Amino acid sequence: MIETRGSALRPLARALADGGAEPVLLFVEGTAGAGKSRLLRELADLPGTADTARVRWRCGADGGPPEEAEHRRTPALWLVDDVHRADEDELRRVRRVLEGLAPGSAAAVTYRPEELPPPGLPLGAPPVAYPSRLTVLRHRLAPWDEERVLRAAVEAFGEGCTDGAVRRLRELTGGVPRVVVDLLAVLREQRPAFTGTAAEVEAAGVPARLAELVLSRTHALAPAHRPVVWAAAVLDGPAGRDELIAVSGLGTATGNDALLRALEVAALAEPAEGRYGFAVPLAAPAVRASVPGPVRQDLHGRAAGVLSRGQPVPWADVADHHRAAGRTRAWLRAVERAAETAAASGRRQQAVTLLERTLATPGLPPRSRAHLAPLLARSAVTGLRSDQTVEVLGQIVQDASLPPAVRGELRLDLGLMLCNQMGRFPEGWRVLETAAAELREVRPGLAARAMVALSSPYWPGSSLDVHRGWLAEATAAADASGDEPMRTAVLAGRAGLAMSCADPGAWELAKELPAEDADPACARQAARGLCNTADFAVWLGFYERAEDLLAAGSDLSARSGASYMEYNALGTRLLQEWWTGRWPGLAERCEEFVAATADMPFIASDAYVVRGLIALAQGDWGEAATWLSQRGTIGTEELPVPLAATTAGALVRLALARQEVPAAAEQARAAWAVVAGKGVWPWAAELAPWAVEALARAGDGAAARTMVRDFSRGLGRGDAPAARAALLWSRAVLAETEAPAGEDRGGLLRAAELYREAAAAYAELPRPYSRTLTAEAAARCVLAADTGTDTGADSAAVPAADSGPAPTETGDTAVPPNPAPDRSAVAPSDPVSGRRPSAVPSDPGSECPATLSAIAELEDCAQRFTELGAVWDAARARALLRTRRPAKKGRPPGRPSHADGLSPREAEVAQLAVSGLTNREIAATLHLSPRTVEQHIARAMRKTGALSRRDLAHRLEGTS
């Protein structure tokens, strides 16, 4: 368990390997628990020295070896442990042995430097007369660093320890190996089982071995000197001499004597020059618990006074000492100062934690509660973690004795946290409405802030007209209050609402936000306005123009200490990177974001959705569904409206791909009702094409047409380029699915033209993935329109490489055929379009120019999908290409031989299999039968030697 450096062992190994070599003496220095005895055991097992005699000597315990062994003149390895425990007689014997070491011999002597009677002299005084032929070395055992502590934690618990827990383990134990191991043992035995958090490490207590050591050293002091050790325990960290003596209450002369004596017996150490405390920080609680209560209170009272005279004053520590001393009023005053100082310096989470703990104290005076609660609310409302704050404030606002202005302010911040940080929109909306009513007369400025929050259409529930009404009320209230920060809040609300509704005037409103305002309150409102407006602009498709707003909002959020808005901006950036095709490393960035906000998953909802969209494009449908459902942290119905619509669009697409058409249609209707009820139509952009396809394929063409019509009317003349492109896409889907009902070939060609217009619109944004999906659809329609015009070829023929019936495809998915008993190569009709797959022409010259152009476009789409990393889409495009490509000239009849390696089709099927698709899903994607997919996977596993699909993934990685 305890490692040592190889450099400590090499000199002894060299001496012992040669019987005539000059002897070596190695002093091993280490504090208690540093691993000295472990090192001696390693030396005893040195390889290549089996013929050398070992002489073990544990000082102060067993009297040492027999006297005749001390006069040994043959090579030997002396292992002398704990020489600091030796009395004068035993020390003389040790010195005699070491001074007379024979050639080919070596000795290792361990000691604790803090317990040497003469400091720095392990063998006592006077200095040893070492022979000139003796090599004398010293090796200091260093404490473990954080990496080594992590390895120990992994050995004990696997990969379950968080970085914070490992860091705290290292801090509390000082990296002393024995203490680390003992503390891990305590954690391993605790119930409920250790889950790997820093809080659990804090609460584990002091291991028995460490407690006994530090208490025995403290007890070795005279009673008059012990208060200096108690003072160090109360201060709980290295302190200067004067501070320590002042807290001890001993006076200068006695205090100096006590400190010197405490250092001599190793009850205290000097971890930094001029700073005194415990060598192992975890020892402090053990000493503190041993101090009688009244004495401990006096020590805490003196500590509060000493720390209050420092600069800067550590107000949080002062507050803790006042509370431990039983001084309630002084404690609460210090808490207030600590919270204000922390918030002013941007350490809002520290302020929140302190205030939460204080307000949760039973029996807190009502006046103090009313005074501190607004401080907590103001600090938490722009922070990241709000679950405990919400609980505390929810209890406080029930206090009828609170002044209406205080209660209204608390409700305002509580409502904001419920909506913004927690995602509990219905509850938050009700709280904000109550706050607006409570504050309207007594604090019109704060009432305006509540009304601005209610004017945001981002949350599910109320319609756009309701939000506009609240914004009008907020404007009047802010003007009446004359409160400049609240006027800035209203301006931010106006800019955000205008941008979400695709009003071109939103850009001018955003420019009016005071990005350089020196007033912190105005700066925070401006930061909110810039970040929200940037987010809405990204939803509209203004990716480049949104970048400036996003950069300004992120910078202002950081400068004003608005952590919540900083993370909001990061989430917006993930969406922007997804849409603009900046996919390399995006999945990892999403996962890092989720991990960083694990305590507040709603803040990471953007990251969950983007990660799910990536998984869907990669063909990992199981992972896609998991991420899109927010991994169960919150319900998708609780997401903000645009994010919920995007999630629904992806889930509808996934259901269509799995042939779950009725479920897809049902989800499409439900999601569409939410967007229509809100009335912010640009937010339907990520849902509309898939919803239209789902309804059309479910046989509800009338509802699909109504959907497209409402989408078009809802957009009106708004400046929403992403939604405009999505409207073209939706019309194209409608034209494609309705083609069999009218002019088949003409309808398909009209659909192809609409798809091309959508692709061009997406290219302008730019949105490479959407552009490629619509370009692929255009090529698909052209090829489908050309199906019946082929001459000189059997129109039912399919590529020889694909055995079994071939499914056909509309939109994003393939529809598998009915099973054919004779497994003929005749492809059945698509139940939606009524068409069969395009035939493979016997002569490429027979293709018309439009068809050749479509084939070229499809090849380009497959390449673009591959470059993006959209494995599933690339496979689908290549599968459609194979239905149109002629056989290569000069190729011999039959299939090419791939006896040793995977064929292109086997590799393609294997890649989709390891990404998580079922055989049926792969068949739908690649225009194959499930049986053919099964055969390809079996061959791939046989050729690679894989034992399972999971093993196949490893084998493919090894060959790539």
Coordinates of all heavy atoms in Angstrom, one line a residue, residues 115 206-222 226 229-230 233 265-268 278 280 282-292:
E115 N 10.6 13.4 17.1 CA 10.8 12.8 18.4 C 12.2 12.5 18.8 O 12.5 11.8 19.8 CB 9.9 11.5 18.5 CG 8.4 11.7 18.3 CD 7.6 10.5 18.6 OE1 8.2 9.5 19.3 OE2 6.5 10.4 18.2
V206 N -12.0 11.3 13.3 CA -10.5 11.1 13.4 C -10.2 9.7 13.6 O -10.7 9.0 14.5 CB -9.9 12.0 14.6 CG1 -8.4 11.9 14.6 CG2 -10.4 13.4 14.5
P207 N -9.4 9.1 12.8 CA -9.0 7.6 13.0 C -8.4 7.4 14.4 O -7.7 8.3 14.9 CB -8.0 7.4 11.9 CG -8.3 8.4 10.8 CD -8.7 9.6 11.5
A208 N -8.7 6.3 15.0 CA -8.2 6.0 16.4 C -6.7 6.2 16.6 O -6.3 6.7 17.5 CB -8.7 4.7 16.8
R209 N -6.0 5.7 15.6 CA -4.5 5.7 15.7 C -4.0 7.1 15.8 O -3.1 7.4 16.6 CB -3.9 4.9 14.6 CG -2.4 4.5 14.8 CD -1.8 3.8 13.6 NE -2.7 3.1 12.8 CZ -2.6 1.8 12.5 NH1 -1.7 1.1 13.1 NH2 -3.5 1.1 11.7
L210 N -4.5 8.0 14.9 CA -4.1 9.4 14.9 C -4.5 10.1 16.2 O -3.8 10.9 16.8 CB -4.7 10.1 13.7 CG -4.4 11.6 13.7 CD1 -2.9 11.9 13.6 CD2 -5.2 12.2 12.5
A211 N -5.8 9.8 16.7 CA -6.3 10.5 17.9 C -5.4 10.1 19.1 O -5.0 11.0 19.9 CB -7.7 10.1 18.1
E212 N -5.1 8.8 19.2 CA -4.2 8.4 20.3 C -2.8 9.1 20.3 O -2.3 9.5 21.3 CB -4.1 6.9 20.3 CG -5.4 6.1 20.7 CD -5.2 4.6 20.7 OE1 -4.0 4.2 20.6 OE2 -6.2 3.9 20.9
L213 N -2.3 9.2 19.1 CA -0.9 9.8 19.0 C -0.9 11.2 19.4 O -0.1 11.6 20.3 CB -0.5 9.6 17.5 CG 0.9 10.3 17.2 CD1 2.0 9.6 18.0 CD2 1.2 10.3 15.7
V214 N -1.9 12.0 18.9 CA -1.9 13.4 19.2 C -2.3 13.7 20.6 O -1.7 14.6 21.3 CB -2.7 14.2 18.2 CG1 -4.2 13.9 18.4 CG2 -2.5 15.7 18.3
L215 N -3.2 12.9 21.2 CA -3.6 13.1 22.6 C -2.5 12.7 23.5 O -2.3 13.3 24.6 CB -4.9 12.4 22.8 CG -6.2 13.0 22.1 CD1 -7.4 12.1 22.4 CD2 -6.4 14.4 22.6
S216 N -1.8 11.6 23.2 CA -0.7 11.2 24.1 C 0.4 12.3 24.1 O 1.0 12.5 25.1 CB -0.1 9.9 23.6 OG 0.5 10.0 22.3
R217 N 0.7 12.9 23.0 CA 1.7 13.9 22.9 C 1.3 15.2 23.7 O 2.1 15.8 24.4 CB 2.0 14.3 21.5 CG 2.8 13.2 20.7 CD 3.0 13.5 19.3 NE 3.9 12.6 18.6 CZ 4.2 12.6 17.3 NH1 3.6 13.5 16.5 NH2 5.0 11.7 16.8
T218 N 0.0 15.5 23.6 CA -0.5 16.6 24.3 C -0.5 16.3 25.8 O -0.1 17.2 26.6 CB -2.0 16.9 23.9 OG1 -2.1 17.2 22.5 CG2 -2.5 18.1 24.6
H219 N -0.8 15.1 26.2 CA -0.8 14.8 27.6 C 0.6 14.8 28.2 O 0.8 14.9 29.4 CB -1.4 13.4 27.8 CG -1.6 13.0 29.2 ND1 -2.6 13.6 30.1 CD2 -1.0 12.1 30.0 CE1 -2.5 13.1 31.3 NE2 -1.6 12.2 31.3
A220 N 1.6 14.6 27.3 CA 3.0 14.6 27.8 C 3.4 16.0 28.3 O 4.5 16.1 28.9 CB 3.9 14.1 26.7
L221 N 2.7 17.0 27.9 CA 3.0 18.4 28.3 C 2.5 18.6 29.8 O 1.6 17.9 30.2 CB 2.3 19.4 27.4 CG 2.8 19.5 26.0 CD1 1.9 20.4 25.2 CD2 4.2 20.2 26.0
A222 N 3.2 19.5 30.5 CA 2.7 19.9 31.8 C 1.3 20.5 31.6 O 1.0 21.2 30.6 CB 3.7 20.9 32.4
R226 N -0.5 22.9 28.2 CA -1.4 22.3 27.3 C -2.3 23.3 26.5 O -2.7 23.1 25.4 CB -2.3 21.3 28.0 CG -1.5 20.0 28.4 CD -2.4 19.1 29.2 NE -1.5 18.1 29.9 CZ -1.9 17.3 30.8 NH1 -3.1 17.4 31.3 NH2 -1.1 16.4 31.4
V229 N -1.6 24.0 22.9 CA -2.1 23.0 21.9 C -3.6 23.1 21.7 O -4.1 23.0 20.6 CB -1.7 21.6 22.4 CG1 -2.2 20.5 21.4 CG2 -0.2 21.5 22.6
W230 N -4.3 23.4 22.8 CA -5.8 23.6 22.7 C -6.1 24.8 21.8 O -7.0 24.8 21.0 CB -6.4 23.8 24.0 CG -6.2 22.7 25.0 CD1 -5.9 21.4 24.7 CD2 -6.4 22.7 26.4 NE1 -5.8 20.6 25.8 CE2 -6.1 21.4 26.9 CE3 -6.7 23.7 27.3 CZ2 -6.2 21.1 28.3 CZ3 -6.8 23.4 28.7 CH2 -6.6 22.1 29.1
A233 N -5.8 23.8 18.3 CA -7.0 23.0 17.9 C -8.2 23.9 17.6 O -8.9 23.7 16.6 CB -7.3 22.0 18.9
V265 N 7.9 18.0 22.1 CA 7.3 16.7 22.2 C 6.4 16.3 20.9 O 5.7 15.3 20.9 CB 6.4 16.6 23.4 CG1 7.2 16.9 24.7 CG2 5.2 17.6 23.3
A266 N 6.5 17.2 19.9 CA 5.8 17.0 18.6 C 4.3 17.0 18.8 O 3.6 16.5 17.9 CB 6.2 15.6 18.0
A267 N 3.8 17.7 19.9 CA 2.4 17.9 19.9 C 2.0 18.9 18.9 O 0.9 18.9 18.3 CB 2.0 18.4 21.3
L268 N 2.9 19.9 18.6 CA 2.7 20.8 17.5 C 3.9 20.8 16.5 O 4.9 20.2 16.9 CB 2.5 22.3 18.0 CG 1.3 22.6 18.9 CD1 1.3 24.0 19.3 CD2 0.0 22.3 18.1
F278 N -0.8 21.7 13.7 CA -0.7 20.2 13.7 C -0.1 19.7 12.4 O -0.4 20.2 11.3 CB -2.0 19.5 14.0 CG -2.6 19.8 15.3 CD1 -3.6 20.8 15.5 CD2 -2.2 19.2 16.5 CE1 -4.1 21.1 16.7 CE2 -2.7 19.5 17.7 CZ -3.7 20.5 17.8
V280 N -0.7 16.9 11.1 CA -1.8 16.4 10.3 C -3.0 17.2 10.7 O -3.5 17.1 11.9 CB -2.0 14.9 10.7 CG1 -3.2 14.3 10.0 CG2 -0.8 14.1 10.4
L282 N -6.1 16.8 10.5 CA -7.2 16.0 11.0 C -7.0 15.8 12.5 O -8.0 15.4 13.2 CB -7.3 14.7 10.3 CG -8.5 13.8 10.5 CD1 -9.8 14.6 10.2 CD2 -8.4 12.5 9.7
A283 N -5.9 16.1 13.1 CA -5.7 15.9 14.5 C -6.4 16.9 15.3 O -6.7 16.7 16.5 CB -4.2 15.9 14.8
A284 N -6.6 18.1 14.8 CA -7.3 19.2 15.5 C -8.6 18.8 16.2 O -8.8 19.1 17.3 CB -7.4 20.4 14.6
P285 N -9.5 18.2 15.4 CA -10.8 17.9 16.1 C -10.7 16.9 17.3 O -11.4 17.1 18.2 CB -11.6 17.2 14.9 CG -11.0 17.7 13.7 CD -9.6 17.9 14.0
A286 N -9.7 16.0 17.2 CA -9.5 15.1 18.4 C -9.1 15.9 19.6 O -9.6 15.6 20.7 CB -8.4 14.1 18.0
V287 N -8.2 16.9 19.5 CA -7.7 17.7 20.6 C -8.9 18.6 21.1 O -9.1 18.7 22.3 CB -6.5 18.5 20.2 CG1 -6.1 19.4 21.3 CG2 -5.3 17.6 19.9
R288 N -9.6 19.2 20.1 CA -10.7 20.1 20.5 C -11.7 19.4 21.3 O -12.3 19.9 22.3 CB -11.3 20.7 19.2 CG -12.0 21.9 19.3 CD -12.1 22.7 18.0 NE -12.7 21.9 17.0 CZ -12.1 21.6 15.8 NH1 -10.8 22.1 15.6 NH2 -12.6 20.9 14.9
A289 N -12.0 18.1 20.9 CA -13.0 17.4 21.6 C -12.6 17.0 23.1 O -13.4 16.7 23.9 CB -13.4 16.1 20.9
S290 N -11.3 17.0 23.3 CA -10.8 16.6 24.6 C -10.8 17.8 25.6 O -10.5 17.6 26.8 CB -9.4 16.1 24.5 OG -8.4 17.1 24.2
V291 N -11.0 19.0 25.1 CA -10.9 20.2 26.0 C -12.3 20.4 26.7 O -13.3 20.3 26.1 CB -10.6 21.5 25.1 CG1 -10.6 22.7 26.0 CG2 -9.4 21.3 24.3
P292 N -12.2 20.6 28.0 CA -13.5 20.9 28.7 C -14.3 22.0 28.1 O -13.8 23.0 27.7 CB -13.0 21.2 30.2 CG -11.7 20.6 30.3 CD -11.1 20.7 28.9

